[in-house]
């Protein structure tokens, strides 16, 4: 039986982050990533339009911005504030936020977007996961280290 080993210093470490950097940094990183995904989706022919009650609605780029910033600000913001009292909330926030980001892909898939838009919008949901994990773990590291 073999075991995997890593050489010292090769592991990726999440840096310790203070609360403002964790919150704003995660939101800005996710937003920039999602705007890049939107640009790639648009270049691939995505219209980012859907029909709702007989009316055509566009979700980009304003929808990309709103649907990235608002959930991250509310969810991660709440976790950052609650971490003043309970550090354990940060791991819960990473898990719950990641699960919600993945599960809500179903809303995108069920809408009548074209294929390129559906794929791009689904990817925008997934970009939130690393942003949440890095922010919460970075803040947790900072709070534990003191």
């Amino acid at each position: 039986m073999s075991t995997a080993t890593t050489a010292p210093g090769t592991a990726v470490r999440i840096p310790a982050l203070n609360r403002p950097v964790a919150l704003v940094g995660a939101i800005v990183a996710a937003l920039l990533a999602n705007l890049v995904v939107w640009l790639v989706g648009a270049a691939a022919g995505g219209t980012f339009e859907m029909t709702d009650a007989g009316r055509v609605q566009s979700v980009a780029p304003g929808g990309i911005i709103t649907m990235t910033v608002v959930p991250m600000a509310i969810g991660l913001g709440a976790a950052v504030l609650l971490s003043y009292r309970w550090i354990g909330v940060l791991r819960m926030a990473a898990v719950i936020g990641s699960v919600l980001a993945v599960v809500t892909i179903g809303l995108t898939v069920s809408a009548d977007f074209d294929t390129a838009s559906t794929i791009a919008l689904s990817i925008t949901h997934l970009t939130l996961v690393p942003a949440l994990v890095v922010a919460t773990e970075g803040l947790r590291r900072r709070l534990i280290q003191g």
Side-chain angles (χ1 to χ4, degrees):
M1 182 170 170
S2 66
T3 60
T5 60
T6 58
T10 60
V12 176
R13 293 182 51 104
I14 296 174
L17 303 171
N18 62 31
R19 284 180 176 90
V21 170
L23 180 61
V24 175
I27 293 170
V28 169
L31 179 59
L32 290 175
N34 284 348
L35 289 173
V36 168
V37 170
W38 168 67
L39 287 170
V40 170
T47 62
F48 296 91
E49 293 178 343
M50 64 175 218
T51 307
D52 184 28
R55 291 188 304 176
V56 175
Q57 296 181 335
S58 177
V59 297
I64 301 289
I65 294 167
T66 303
M67 297 308 279
T68 299
V69 173
V70 172
M72 291 274 299
I74 292 170
L76 187 56
V80 166
L81 290 174
L82 287 170
S83 72
Y84 279 103
R85 302 292 261 168
W86 180 41
I87 294 174
V89 74
L90 296 171
R91 288 245 166 109
M92 287 178 50
V95 171
I96 293 168
S98 297
V99 168
L100 287 173
V102 172
V103 168
T104 55
I105 291 173
L107 299 171
T108 300
V109 172
S110 67
D112 67 343
F113 291 107
D114 57 82
T115 302
S117 298
T118 299
I119 292 169
L121 290 170
S122 296
I123 292 170
T124 64
H125 288 251
L126 298 176
T127 63
L128 302 181
V129 174
L132 285 168
V133 170
V134 169
T136 55
E137 286 301 308
L139 178 54
R140 185 175 178 281
R141 179 180 302 270
R142 173 71 167 248
L143 295 175
I144 288 174
Q145 290 176 351

